[in-house]
């Protein structure tokens, strides 16, 4: 792949301070991700996967080094700017879906659209499109408690793609789902990557899930220990 | 505002908690309305009396002293006076009960000229004037006791050792914030009965000796021709009687009413401090409810911030929610009490203590304002906490 790097990490370190103790979480991380890549991030618990995802998604800042996305050094953005940047560029998918329980499926998907200048009509259209993409047309008025786990995760994915961000970050998106449902969700992510050319960074414990990604990274104790191109996924795609 | 759906749903998220918050604010505000309206309504009626250009003559020693009846005519003849009438408190029983309405001996010929806001149809007024034992009653009193024109209304003396056998000839009309539960009868009739008991002492200091009241007017209501005349007439009346046995104290009707509310000055202060205590406790109630709501939503707020909701927006959402909840409670308490007392007349149940009671608009709106303020202040701490909370930490709570 010769596409210009979409996401670049240069010498990234992340530490947490607890009183006098400094806990190093990520160390000497260099990484380059192209637009449209589908990355799986694996590693034991506590190895720093979520921390890395947070850096890439602009939720957290590196202690040292740079996180550069589309030429923008995220560390240099103010809090307001980075918030705006996330709204424009990143879609979030969580293990526990994290839908707003008092809002319907459609209203949940509309949340990120409220931050845009789109008219009410356009917002409704975007919501309908996003729900159609995730296969939930007809469920607009359902509340999260009226949906199954898989359906909730679909709503969460619809919310993540509603503003058409280029990057999707997913932290163990199938961690709470049974095998069959998990496969459906993974299918959907693959489709978003293939058809809509979303760059995806997905944290997972599940080797079957990771196998769907085009590239698999392994973290251990805050270091990148493995970085392989997954030919089987490329072949499948 | 496109975020309103989200705010409203959040407010309804925990209906029991929100309901309790609303109820505590509503009930507190309701009680505050009663306490403050008591003074405010009195004050309002007082200030309203200014337009009638009336002055009130009483004995310089206060209600213990008397004003000789002959002075009513003397004062009425003064320059700048339109009309004057005695107002003598009878304080009798009706149907063998100590009654909860005012009965005044007045001058039938001048009372409705003096109290220009009180109206009586001409034929009723003529009938009232023609019968020395005649009386007119207020509309509320007539309604409560089922009194009609032509009815007899016997009153038994309680303060005075004489009974009055009154005949009702009219039912007057008067503004809402006036006493609509009075019985007005001929002062002469009472005076005649008192004279029959024996010679009156003219010293006038014998208030404890009721028969000594014959020939005395109680207080005198005087209507002046315009506002400019009132101050001069007050002075003129007092100067006139300064060196008599019964010097007078004359003041405008507003000042007279003010005198009454000043008697309750201590109570006013107390109500103010009660109000402050109520506001402080409501701040804790509403603030605690909002803080609990925020704690429950830590994760959700982190998600909103992750997907791009800025600090300012989160702050605003929480504040608006707090203000809405408190505002709803406040509106229920203040506008509810206003509507209730507008529809439902409590005067019969106050022992004559409150001839009229209502919640003035400015009191209701001030109460609503206080509620919104309570909402805002109680929301500030939770809102600042929510806005400043860390996204990363908030998201970790779930995983
Ligand atoms: N706020 C924090 N303060 C201190 N240590 C933290 C904090 N957040 C995460 N850590 C530590 O950083 C390490 C990596 O965490 P994380 O990125 O969540 O790992 P993973 O997602 O791979 O399980 C863990 O040891 C964790 O305890
Ligand atoms: Mg993790």
């Amino acid at each position: 792949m010769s596409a210009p790097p979409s996401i670049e990490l240069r010498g990234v370190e992340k530490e947490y301070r607890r009183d006098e103790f400094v806990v190093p979480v990520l160390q000497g991380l260099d990484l380059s991700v192209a637009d449209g890549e589908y990355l799986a991030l694996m590693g034991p618990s506590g190895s720093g996967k979520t921390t890395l995802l947070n850096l890439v998604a602009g939720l957290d800042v590196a202690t040292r080094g740079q996180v550069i996305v589309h030429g923008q050094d995220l560390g240099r953005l103010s809090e307001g700017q980075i918030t705006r940047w996330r709204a424009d560029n990143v879609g979030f998918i969580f293990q526990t879906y994290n839908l707003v329980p008092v809002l319907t499926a459609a209203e949940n998907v509309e949340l990120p659209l409220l931050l845009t200048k789109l008219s009410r009509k356009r917002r409704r259209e975007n919501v309908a499109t996003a729900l159609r993409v995730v296969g939930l047309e007809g469920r607009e008025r359902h509340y999260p408690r009226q949906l199954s786990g898989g359906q909730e995760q679909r709503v969460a994915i619809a919310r993540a793609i509603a503003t058409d961000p280029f990057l999707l970050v997913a932290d163990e998106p199938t961690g709470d789902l049974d095998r069959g449902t998990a496969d459906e969700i993974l299918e959907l992510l693959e489709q978003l990557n293939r058809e809509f050319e979303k760059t995806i960074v997905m944290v997972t414990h599940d080797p079957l899930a990771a196998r769907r990604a085009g590239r698999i990274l392994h973290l251990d104790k805050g270091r990148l220990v493995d970085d392989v191109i997954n030919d089987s996924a490329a072949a499948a795609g | 505002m496109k975020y309103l759906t989200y705010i409203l749903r959040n407010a309804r998220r925990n209906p029991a908690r929100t309901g309790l918050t609303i109820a505590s604010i509503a009930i507190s505000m309701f009680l505050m309305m009663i306490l403050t309206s008591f003074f405010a309504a009195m004050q309002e009626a007082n200030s309203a009396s200014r337009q009638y250009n009336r002055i009130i003559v009483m004995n310089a020693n206060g209600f213990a002293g008397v004003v000789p009846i002959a002075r009513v005519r003397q004062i009425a003849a003064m320059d700048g006076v339109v009309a004057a009438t005695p107002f003598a408190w009878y304080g009798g029983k009706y149907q063998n009960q100590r009654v909860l309405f005012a009965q005044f001996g007045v001058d039938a010929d001048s009372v409705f000229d003096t109290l220009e806001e009180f109206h009586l149809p001409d034929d009723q007024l003529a009938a009232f004037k023609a019968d020395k034992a005649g009386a007119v009653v207020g509309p509320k009193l007539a309604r409560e006791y089922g009194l009609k024109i032509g009815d007899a209304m016997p009153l038994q003396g309680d303060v005075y050792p004489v009974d009055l056998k009154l005949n009702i000839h009219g039912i007057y009309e008067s503004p809402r914030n006036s006493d609509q539960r009075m019985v007005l009868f001929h002062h002469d009739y009472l005076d005649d009965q008192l004279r029959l008991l024996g010679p009156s002492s003219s010293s006038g200091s014998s208030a404890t000796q009721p028969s000594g009241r014959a020939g005395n007017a109680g207080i005198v209501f005087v209507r002046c021709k315009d506002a400019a005349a009132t101050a001069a007439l007050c002075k003129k009346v007092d100067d006139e009687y300064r060196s008599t046995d019964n010097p007078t104290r004359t003041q405008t009707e507003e000042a007279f009413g003010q005198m009454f509310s000043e008697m309750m000055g201590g109570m006013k202060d107390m109500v103010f401090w009660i109000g402050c205590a109520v506001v402080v406790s409501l701040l804790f109630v509403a603030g605690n409810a909002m803080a609990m709501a925020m704690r429950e939503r830590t994760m959700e707020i982190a998600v909103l911030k992750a997907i791009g909701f800025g600090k300012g927006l989160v702050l605003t959402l929480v504040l608006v929610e707090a203000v809405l909840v408190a505002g709803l409670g406040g509106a229920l308490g203040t506008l509810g009490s206003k509507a209730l007392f507008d529809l439902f007349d409590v005067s019969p149940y106050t022992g004559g203590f409150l001839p009229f009671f209502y919640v003035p608009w400015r009191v209701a709106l001030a109460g609503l304002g206080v509620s919104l303020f309570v909402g805002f202040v109680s929301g500030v701490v939770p809102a600042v906490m929510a806005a400043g909370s860390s996204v990363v930490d908030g998201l970790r709570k779930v995983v």
Side-chain angles (χ1 to χ4, degrees):
Chain A
M1 257 184 256
S2 59
S6 159
I7 303 168
E8 249 199 300
L9 275 66
R10 293 185 194 152
V12 165
E13 319 240 317
K14 177 72 186 174
E15 2 178 284
Y16 286 107
R17 285 183 171 277
R18 217 167 252 170
D19 305 323
E20 287 118 77
F21 299 102
V22 174
V23 186
V25 177
L26 293 177
Q27 301 171 58
L29 223 87
D30 293 293
L31 179 67
S32 173
V33 181
D35 262 337
E37 266 198 290
Y38 185 173
L39 244 72
L41 202 50
M42 301 192 73
S45 233
S47 58
K49 304 183 295 295
T50 297
T51 304
L52 175 55
L53 202 67
N54 287 344
L55 292 179
V56 169
L59 286 176
D60 209 350
V61 284
T63 313
R64 277 174 289 280
Q66 292 172 300
V67 178
I68 298 164
V69 182
H70 284 164
Q72 178 75 255
D73 184 346
L74 299 189
R76 291 179 176 277
L77 297 180
S78 69
E79 195 180 318
Q81 287 170 326
I82 193 86
T83 306
R84 187 72 244 164
W85 179 86
R86 285 199 304 269
D88 293 337
N89 294 286
V90 192
F92 291 88
I93 302 162
F94 306 96
Q95 179 175 354
T96 49
Y97 331 129
N98 291 4
L99 298 177
V100 177
V102 290
L103 296 181
T104 63
E107 288 161 350
N108 266 287
V109 177
E110 195 187 7
L111 276 177
L113 293 168
L114 294 177
L115 300 167
T116 66
K117 290 195 172 71
L118 294 181
S119 68
R120 189 182 161 89
K121 185 165 167 287
R122 285 296 307 277
R123 294 202 303 268
R124 291 286 143 91
E125 287 167 9
N126 283 23
V127 168
T129 308
L131 282 171
R132 196 174 335 111
V133 168
V134 301
L136 278 183
E137 55 265 87
R139 300 281 177 165
E140 291 81 359
R141 303 171 79 88
H142 286 59
Y143 285 90
R145 65 172 182 281
Q146 299 168 317
L147 298 170
S148 70
Q151 288 170 332
E152 279 194 74
Q153 193 59 296
R154 283 171 191 273
V155 175
I157 293 171
R159 177 177 69 187
I161 62 173
T163 53
D164 199 24
F166 87 93
L167 173 67
L168 297 181
V169 295
D171 200 343
E172 306 193 33
T174 58
D176 274 14
L177 300 174
D178 61 68
R179 185 74 258 161
T181 313
D183 283 339
E184 285 169 24
I185 294 296
L186 292 166
E187 201 72 55
L188 180 56
L189 289 176
E190 245 182 283
Q191 186 199 346
L192 292 174
N193 172 246
R194 220 183 320 113
E195 288 177 26
F196 299 89
E197 296 172 338
K198 300 292 178 204
T199 305
I200 300 179
V201 182
M202 173 180 73
V203 169
T204 185
H205 275 114
D206 176 6
L208 289 177
R211 215 181 289 165
R212 304 213 178 217
R215 183 175 166 194
I216 304 173
L217 303 182
H218 278 267
L219 272 182
D220 194 15
K221 299 196 181 84
R223 290 180 190 280
L224 206 51
V225 293
D226 206 8
D227 182 350
V228 294
I229 301 296
N230 180 11
D231 291 320
S232 65
Chain B
M1 188 189 184
K2 51 189 174 182
Y3 299 99
L4 204 60
T5 312
Y6 176 67
I7 294 171
L8 290 176
R9 297 277 180 78
N10 266 332
R12 292 203 322 233
R13 201 166 192 146
N14 190 327
R17 186 174 55 218
T18 306
L20 285 173
T21 309
I22 290 175
S24 21
I25 294 175
I27 293 168
S28 309
M29 279 301 150
F30 187 87
L31 296 175
M32 280 316 297
M33 288 299 102
I34 294 178
L35 288 177
T36 45
S37 294
F38 171 71
F39 295 104
M42 198 154 78
Q43 171 94 49
E44 229 176 56
N46 249 352
S47 317
S49 72
R50 208 178 299 161
Q51 61 184 303
Y52 304 122
N53 306 324
R54 280 190 297 253
I55 60 177
I56 291 172
V57 185
M58 62 190 281
N59 189 289
N61 294 322
F63 292 106
V66 296
V67 178
I69 190 72
R71 291 184 187 176
V72 176
R73 259 175 224 295
Q74 294 162 7
I75 293 167
M78 288 178 177
D79 264 358
V81 172
V82 176
T85 179
F87 246 75
W89 174 263
Y90 175 63
K93 294 180 179 177
Y94 179 53
Q95 295 168 349
N96 276 320
Q97 288 176 1
R98 186 163 283 120
V99 287
L100 311 175
F101 51 84
Q103 309 126 28
F104 290 110
V106 299
D107 177 6
D109 288 328
S110 61
V111 64
F112 286 97
D113 295 330
T114 312
L115 307 179
E116 56 173 315
E117 73 275 31
F118 284 63
H119 300 288
L120 193 65
D122 287 343
D123 54 329
Q124 295 180 17
L125 182 59
F128 174 44
K129 285 180 181 174
D131 178 5
K132 201 168 206 181
V136 296
V137 298
K140 281 188 188 173
L141 191 70
R143 225 174 300 132
E144 279 164 44
Y145 287 87
L147 300 171
K148 298 182 304 296
I149 291 172
D151 284 356
M153 188 180 202
L155 298 176
Q156 291 96 46
D158 197 19
V159 181
Y160 292 96
V162 293
D163 294 346
L164 301 178
K165 296 189 175 62
L166 301 175
N167 307 309
I168 298 173
H169 291 298
I171 296 171
Y172 65 77
E173 278 175 29
S174 68
R176 200 176 59 125
N177 62 349
S178 63
D179 192 343
Q180 299 186 326
R181 301 176 75 251
M182 289 192 292
V183 175
L184 302 177
F185 60 87
H186 289 253
H187 177 266
D188 290 352
Y189 178 45
L190 172 63
D191 222 32
D192 285 354
Q193 304 287 99
L194 290 174
R195 274 180 221 287
L196 288 176
L197 291 178
S200 72
S201 82
S202 57
S203 78
S205 60
S206 51
T208 49
Q209 239 174 49
S211 61
R213 284 272 189 180
N216 290 319
I219 60 172
V220 183
F221 267 69
V222 182
R223 178 175 160 203
C224 309
K225 75 176 191 313
D226 53 36
T230 53
L233 273 166
C234 287
K235 188 172 178 321
K236 189 170 173 191
V237 170
D238 288 349
D239 286 349
E240 185 79 24
Y241 303 114
R242 192 174 310 284
S243 48
T244 66
D245 282 349
N246 290 302
T248 55
R249 176 177 172 197
T250 307
Q251 53 196 327
T252 62
E253 187 171 353
E254 187 182 7
F256 183 80
Q258 201 64 43
M259 195 177 70
F260 273 101
S261 61
E262 268 158 26
M263 289 177 194
M264 289 180 284
M267 241 175 87
K268 231 180 202 169
D269 284 352
M270 198 175 75
V271 166
F272 175 77
W273 289 111
I274 291 175
C276 291
V278 166
V279 166
V280 170
S281 67
L282 285 182
L283 280 176
F284 284 117
V285 168
N288 182 51
M290 210 57 206
M292 275 165 74
M294 289 305 110
R295 230 168 293 133
E296 281 168 19
R297 285 184 226 157
T298 306
M299 172 275 276
E300 183 177 309
I301 288 164
V303 172
L304 290 182
K305 290 168 132 188
I307 68 174
F309 281 54
K311 265 188 175 182
L313 180 54
V314 170
L315 188 89
T316 308
L317 292 175
V318 177
L319 274 181
V320 171
E321 182 181 337
V323 169
L324 268 181
V325 168
L328 184 58
L332 278 175
T334 58
L335 305 181
S337 68
K338 167 138 191 71
L340 182 76
F341 291 114
D342 280 353
L343 292 175
F344 177 73
D345 182 21
V346 289
S347 49
Y349 309 99
T350 60
F353 183 53
L354 296 176
F356 53 86
F357 184 80
Y358 63 96
V359 178
W361 268 116
R362 68 190 170 88
V363 173
L365 293 179
L368 188 57
V370 166
S371 311
L372 295 174
F373 171 79
V374 162
F376 183 83
V377 174
S378 70
V380 164
V381 171
V384 168
M385 271 163 44
S389 65
S390 144
V391 186
V392 174
D393 292 346
L395 290 175
R396 268 187 202 283
K397 284 228 162 81
V398 278
V399 205

